[in-house]
Amino acid sequence: MTADPSEPVPRDWWKSAVVYQVYPRSFMDSDGDGIGDIPGIRQRLDYLQRLGVDVLWLSPVYKSPMDDNGYDISDYYDVDPLFGTLADLDDLIADLHERGMKLVMDLVVNHTSSAHPWFQESRSSKDNPKRDWYWWRPPRPGHSPGEPGAEPTNWGSAFSESAWTFDPDTGEYYLHLFASSQPELNWENPEVRQAVYSMMNWWLDRGVDGFRMDVINLISKVVHDEPPDLRDGIRGGPDRQPGPIDTVRFGDPGPHVLHGPRVHEFLQEMHREVFAHRPPGLLTVGETPATTVEQGLLYTDPARAELQMVFQFEHVDLDSGPGGKWDLAPATSRDLIDSLAQWQEGMGEIGWNSLYLGNHDQPRCVSRFGDDSPEHRDRSAKALATVLHLLRGTPYIYQGDELGMANAPFRDINDTRDIESHNAYRAALARGQDPDAAMEAIRYKGRDNARTPMQWDASEHAGFTTGSPWLEVNPDHVTVNAAAQVNDPDSVFSHYRKLIKLRHQEPVVVHGTFTRLLRDGEDVHGYLRRLDGRELLVVANLSSKEGLEAAVPDAPTWAASELVLSNAPEPAERDRIVLGPWEARVYRRG
Ligand code: GLC
């Protein structure tokens, strides 16, 4: 069920919406070059409409050298030929609008590609007018330029290198919190901000319906008055920010760059310059690593006019140890639910949550939080979706999760393409780590797990391409694919459809209060949603254990209530709630 395009857009439509993320490189290839493209997406809109989603979030399709698959942009005003043309994008927008769906673009403005003309100018000389559009700094005093240790600060980047790269032409370093080809824009400079706002306005005038803002909480850095104006970060230790930095080798830039002193000012300015003068109804979601509930409230409180919602990272950082992302640490379903519940309770009536378990940067959720063995895969995928989608917030579905797509069986590093994994692997080997151990972490956490081509059918390349795919298709596509699921009422796909429908039909899912139940549960979790006398009870056994009881208050009455959704056969008992492996149920009353 999607909105009727002839109706005026309700101000808060995004609260009852479900967003579907398309990673264009891996969704559908129309021209046989092995890389997905915009005409390919247009061919698959019936599928998205059948699923019932309201919004398509498109990962970057702008011109790019593709070092980070498009998150390194060299022209914000054009589409990369790999993906098609601006005219193709206009056609996609028109197609979506015709179907009552919306398009949200990725906005990557914390950094550009080093191939962007702005950076080319900036690096050309110290007195170029765009020099100050990026973060240039001289070598550390007392060190020879370019020598190890001469970096202006000890910061590590998210991609296992120093966050500084030396540019011999002008004898200075530039800052990049990701790859060296992704220099950080200097938001302190008002010209940079105005250039970003004009570009955003240009896209909105073209008809896009909002933005997903890449690492937007990194745009303000802590600048001290006295030199050195950017300061060293701490290594290791319990107080480090969670996330991808290798704090054994590098200082953690986190406290110096996350939620910097001017971030709220910049976002409020952006709101004034881009959104305030437009009709309501545009969607804004910020990607904000290392965000606490308190910060989440600041970003999303409507009274502050910043963002509608943020992607917080707490639950996807649970399985990272003190050494960073690749330092695997066990996390339980209890940890996951504790974290999600804490956000539900904390954001309350003021803020708004984005609900996600997967995206193009995370491993597949069924492999990470569920059980991707043939026995439990479908049921665990459905249980996770149930628990997530009925929370308060806007759910995001990452392409393929609605089929239960799982992590890929990468044999070795040559099977992967991601710059993050390649850099991490190289760094691990340089530290003397065993290649198998390094690969184990990449197999579990590597981003290419989510980037294997979409599994449309059981044919050779899963119906994704007639050519040779840029990243191998997961061999399990012979059984796990869209063609096998769209018309099967018991499939993972159909379960997602039902969840989306429930959100569209039940105001309690959108606006109801949240109450955590079974707070001490190790495997069985539950919560209650309530609105005007209507109640929904969600219970799930997030384990493969048999016969676990959900001892919720008032269980006998609930057990006899209307069962609106479940991922298992009709329960035999009507006076207790006893759940089989990965069983999830939704009861309704009132
Ligand atoms: C965000 C993107 C990720 C990218 C990084 C740098 O985290 O989601 O894919 O590598 O920013 O742009």
Side-chain angles (χ1 to χ4, degrees):
M1 189 199 75
T2 42
D4 175 350
S6 59
E7 298 277 312
V9 180
R11 179 173 283 272
D12 285 352
W13 65 272
W14 40 271
K15 291 195 171 173
S16 55
V18 178
V19 184
Y20 187 91
Q21 182 189 355
V22 166
Y23 193 67
R25 214 180 166 80
S26 307
F27 192 64
M28 180 67 205
D29 174 23
S30 72
D31 59 5
D33 66 356
I35 297 176
D37 47 44
I38 297 171
I41 301 170
R42 293 183 60 210
Q43 291 170 10
R44 296 294 185 176
L45 295 183
D46 284 348
Y47 171 85
L48 296 185
Q49 198 161 21
R50 181 159 170 80
L51 183 59
V53 294
D54 308 275
V55 182
L56 189 160
W57 150 27
L58 185 59
S59 276
V61 291
Y62 311 92
K63 267 218 168 101
S64 163
M66 300 290 164
D67 283 358
D68 190 17
N69 291 355
Y71 283 90
D72 48 323
I73 297 171
S74 55
D75 184 352
Y76 288 109
Y77 292 90
D78 207 353
V79 166
D80 197 277
L82 265 186
F83 297 130
T85 61
L86 261 182
D88 291 328
L89 192 58
D90 288 340
D91 289 343
L92 174 65
I93 296 172
D95 285 355
L96 286 167
H97 287 174
E98 220 166 88
R99 291 165 189 260
M101 292 163 73
K102 295 177 186 293
L103 182 75
V104 163
M105 296 286 276
D106 224 300
L107 180 81
V108 189
V109 289
N110 171 66
H111 45 269
T112 66
S113 161
S114 52
H116 196 291
W118 295 343
F119 188 73
Q120 295 295 318
E121 280 189 53
S122 182
R123 84 184 322 171
S124 65
S125 75
K126 281 189 184 169
D127 51 17
N128 183 278
K130 290 211 166 50
R131 183 66 169 182
D132 185 46
W133 281 41
Y134 295 85
W135 294 83
W136 291 97
R137 290 295 182 273
R140 195 183 280 267
H143 289 257
S144 313
E147 296 292 309
E151 295 81 16
T153 67
N154 66 356
W155 298 352
S157 82
F159 291 166
S160 307
E161 324 163 293
S162 163
W164 295 97
T165 290
F166 183 61
D167 193 30
D169 289 350
T170 53
E172 289 191 325
Y173 289 81
Y174 65 88
L175 178 66
H176 53 89
L177 294 169
F178 296 90
S180 55
S181 54
Q182 293 169 299
E184 300 280 302
L185 278 167
N186 177 13
W187 277 65
E188 298 289 321
N189 184 327
E191 289 174 19
V192 168
R193 306 203 298 273
Q194 284 308 322
V196 169
Y197 306 150
S198 344
M199 178 269 286
M200 293 172 76
N201 276 312
W202 186 85
W203 279 105
L204 292 174
D205 292 343
R206 215 173 176 99
V208 310
D209 303 292
F211 297 103
R212 173 267 184 190
M213 304 179 190
D214 195 65
V215 287
I216 203 68
N217 61 332
L218 295 179
I219 56 178
S220 162
K221 277 80 173 161
V222 180
V223 185
H224 297 270
D225 288 345
E226 290 296 317
D229 65 350
L230 300 172
R231 299 212 174 141
D232 280 347
I234 48 167
R235 291 171 197 258
D239 295 335
R240 65 171 296 279
Q241 303 283 336
I245 309 290
D246 174 353
T247 53
V248 177
R249 281 172 69 209
F250 297 106
D252 183 4
H256 308 260
V257 300
L258 288 159
H259 321 286
R262 299 185 69 189
V263 70
H264 297 292
E265 173 199 334
F266 293 160
L267 288 174
Q268 287 168 11
E269 179 183 79
M270 177 195 281
H271 189 270
R272 283 196 305 277
E273 301 274 330
V274 180
F275 300 104
H277 62 277
R278 294 177 181 273
L282 297 168
L283 189 146
T284 58
V285 50
E287 187 206 22
T288 55
T291 290
T292 60
V293 172
E294 290 69 34
Q295 287 152 342
L297 281 169
L298 294 178
Y299 287 120
T300 66
D301 176 354
R304 297 171 53 86
E306 296 185 19
L307 300 168
Q308 287 159 350
M309 49 191 143
V310 292
F311 291 120
Q312 57 87 13
F313 276 55
E314 196 180 277
H315 60 301
V316 292
D317 284 333
L318 288 171
D319 51 7
S320 295
K325 167 171 180 170
W326 305 108
D327 175 14
L328 304 186
T332 63
S333 72
R334 166 90 181 270
D335 298 331
L336 174 67
I337 303 299
D338 279 351
S339 167
L340 295 176
Q342 186 212 328
W343 275 84
Q344 292 288 301
E345 287 159 0
M347 296 293 259
E349 304 286 314
I350 299 171
W352 192 254
N353 289 292
S354 304
L355 309 171
Y356 76 101
L357 290 176
N359 60 39
H360 66 293
D361 294 329
Q362 302 295 333
R364 287 288 178 182
C365 62
V366 71
S367 303
R368 185 185 206 177
F369 301 113
D371 180 341
D372 62 11
S373 68
E375 196 188 347
H376 297 302
R377 176 190 190 128
D378 281 16
R379 199 166 282 176
S380 69
K382 292 176 194 170
L384 290 169
T386 308
V387 167
L388 188 79
H389 275 243
L390 300 180
L391 293 172
R392 185 183 166 90
T394 301
Y396 286 73
I397 301 173
Y398 179 66
Q399 67 184 38
D401 281 350
E402 77 283 9
L403 302 173
M405 278 178 64
N407 278 357
F410 299 124
R411 285 158 301 204
D412 57 41
I413 193 70
N414 299 316
D415 281 353
T416 70
R417 301 282 172 274
D418 182 14
I419 184 171
E420 184 195 43
S421 296
H422 281 239
N423 285 3
Y425 186 76
R426 205 179 316 114
L429 265 49
R431 281 199 306 276
Q433 206 182 339
D434 169 56
D436 289 340
M439 244 348 262
E440 190 195 324
I442 289 168
R443 238 178 250 122
Y444 175 70
K445 281 268 188 79
R447 305 193 296 183
D448 281 337
N449 280 305
R451 300 176 180 183
T452 60
M454 181 71 178
Q455 295 168 199
W456 295 108
D457 59 40
S459 68
E460 193 190 1
H461 298 308
F464 162 71
T465 181
T466 53
S468 172
W470 71 277
L471 178 67
E472 254 180 68
V473 169
N474 193 321
D476 69 11
H477 74 275
V478 291
T479 51
V480 180
N481 62 65
Q485 293 197 23
V486 278
N487 294 319
D488 171 1
D490 289 327
S491 64
V492 180
F493 178 91
S494 295
H495 194 82
Y496 268 84
R497 267 189 92 194
K498 290 175 204 157
L499 286 166
I500 296 167
K501 208 165 165 191
L502 198 56
R503 172 166 295 266
H504 288 153
Q505 291 177 345
E506 268 290 356
V508 64
V509 177
V510 181
H511 300 291
T513 56
F514 168 90
T515 310
R516 172 102 184 259
L517 304 174
L518 305 170
R519 280 185 182 270
D520 299 327
E522 287 303 328
D523 301 304
V524 177
H525 308 281
Y527 60 83
L528 199 63
R529 303 290 314 278
R530 261 205 207 108
L531 182 75
D532 302 333
R534 182 73 132 187
E535 293 183 311
L536 277 192
L537 170 71
V538 179
V539 282
N541 171 4
L542 298 184
S543 83
S544 53
K545 294 178 197 154
E546 294 282 348
L548 300 187
E549 180 160 7
V552 297
D554 213 7
T557 327
W558 274 115
S561 305
E562 181 197 3
L563 184 58
V564 249
L565 189 63
S566 136
N567 62 351
E570 188 77 11
E573 300 189 61
R574 301 293 285 179
D575 55 351
R576 292 193 318 153
I577 303 177
V578 180
L579 303 171
W582 297 103
E583 182 170 357
R585 291 188 206 160
V586 183
Y587 290 98
R588 173 163 56 193
R589 68 187 187 191

